[in-house]
Amino acid sequence: KDFPLKKVSVEDANDFMEVRKKNAPKIAAAVASCIASPSVLIFLAGLSEAQIGNISEGVAASVGLVCLLGFVAAAVFTFISCGMQTKRFEFLENECFETAYGVEGLAKEKLKNYEGTFTRGIAVGVVLCIVAAIPLLVAACTSFVSLLLILVACGVYMIIRVGMIKGSYDILLQEGDYTISEKKLKKKSDAFSGAYWCIATAIYLGWSFWTMRWDFTWIIWPVAGVLFAAASGIFRAVMQNEKKK
């Protein structure tokens, strides 16, 4: 038996868009913090290796790990806090719904006005991620890896910030990644994504603590990111083929 779809009023839509707009920079900053978290450790390790500033390897590792865990802890707090604020709107991303008169027009108008900002934000973010490799290529030094991470973090911040705001309009319009068919597929892929990143994190932490080569083990994240894109594509293709059978 089909249950009646939830109806989203203009007030609900405005509340949702406002919360997403407010939380977008916070979530983006939290993700950026996770990416940049090893930067202090890598920078201090480089100084210690080059014998600059009389920093011992033990001090570099201790201070760096404290900063790393501090960044990650702050990011986790932000994720949980923002998640609690948007919990009542979760059904918009995962379920089908109806919109009251005026909601669709409101979302389309805001989307049209935001397209320019979204395009510029994505462009800046992508460029920052690309040029992040320049410092490492110019000077093949361990300490410059920290600059690479910071530039990537800034690029990701821009991409996530504008992406979340635009996403709020797509969600209300049930377009893009939030069509009815995509929502059904997302329910199946969420379990895969969660398991994948849990395994990647476990490998990163296990390898890092085992070897204490935090200045090198960060390479897991770009590799995991590329592999995730490939694995997700294969997973989605398999799910879509099964649906057609």
Side-chain angles (χ1 to χ4, degrees):
K1 182 180 179 179
D2 293 330
F3 294 96
L5 298 177
K6 293 183 180 180
K7 195 160 190 175
V8 180
S9 66
V10 174
E11 183 180 356
D12 291 334
N14 277 320
D15 288 345
F16 172 67
M17 289 186 289
E18 186 62 30
V19 169
R20 291 274 294 201
K21 184 177 180 180
K22 180 181 176 182
N23 286 343
K26 296 178 182 178
I27 295 293
V31 175
S33 294
C34 290
I35 295 172
S37 60
S39 60
V40 176
L41 176 62
I42 294 171
F43 180 73
L44 293 178
L47 294 182
S48 176
E49 183 180 344
Q51 297 182 344
I52 299 175
N54 295 323
I55 300 176
S56 67
E57 184 177 344
V59 171
S62 298
V63 175
L65 283 174
V66 169
C67 292
L68 184 151
L69 294 175
F71 280 127
V72 173
V76 170
F77 175 82
T78 301
F79 291 142
I80 294 174
S81 176
C82 292
M84 292 177 66
Q85 294 178 31
T86 58
K87 189 171 182 62
R88 65 191 180 100
F89 297 115
E90 282 183 354
F91 75 94
L92 294 175
E93 298 184 48
N94 303 316
E95 301 174 14
C96 301
F97 58 86
E98 292 180 344
T99 55
Y101 176 78
V103 172
E104 184 176 348
L106 176 65
K108 284 184 176 180
E109 182 181 359
K110 286 185 175 292
L111 176 59
K112 183 179 179 180
N113 294 333
Y114 194 71
E115 282 180 347
T117 302
F118 172 75
T119 302
R120 288 191 296 272
I122 293 295
V124 172
V126 171
V127 169
L128 284 173
C129 290
I130 293 173
V131 302
I134 293 178
L136 196 60
L137 295 174
V138 173
C141 174
T142 302
S143 296
F144 277 87
V145 174
S146 59
L147 181 57
L148 178 150
L149 292 177
I150 291 172
L151 288 174
V152 170
C154 291
V156 171
Y157 171 86
M158 291 295 300
I159 293 171
I160 292 179
R161 179 173 181 172
V162 298
M164 280 190 65
I165 296 175
K166 179 182 180 295
S168 65
Y169 309 139
D170 288 338
I171 289 171
L172 289 174
L173 294 171
Q174 298 191 88
E175 295 179 349
D177 293 333
Y178 303 97
T179 60
I180 295 175
S181 59
E182 284 292 327
K183 287 179 180 180
K184 293 178 179 178
L185 185 59
K186 181 178 180 294
K187 291 181 179 180
K188 298 179 180 179
S189 63
D190 279 348
F192 168 79
S193 300
Y196 179 91
W197 287 112
C198 283
I199 293 172
T201 302
I203 293 174
Y204 169 68
L205 293 175
W207 186 20
S208 299
F209 280 113
W210 179 264
T211 62
M212 293 307 292
R213 288 296 308 275
W214 297 85
D215 60 324
F216 178 76
T217 54
W218 62 270
I219 195 68
I220 284 179
W221 296 116
V223 173
V226 173
L227 289 177
F228 178 72
S232 295
I234 295 172
F235 180 83
R236 292 173 66 87
V238 171
M239 290 295 100
Q240 288 173 345
N241 286 335
E242 288 186 356
K243 184 179 179 181
K244 292 178 181 179
K245 292 180 180 179

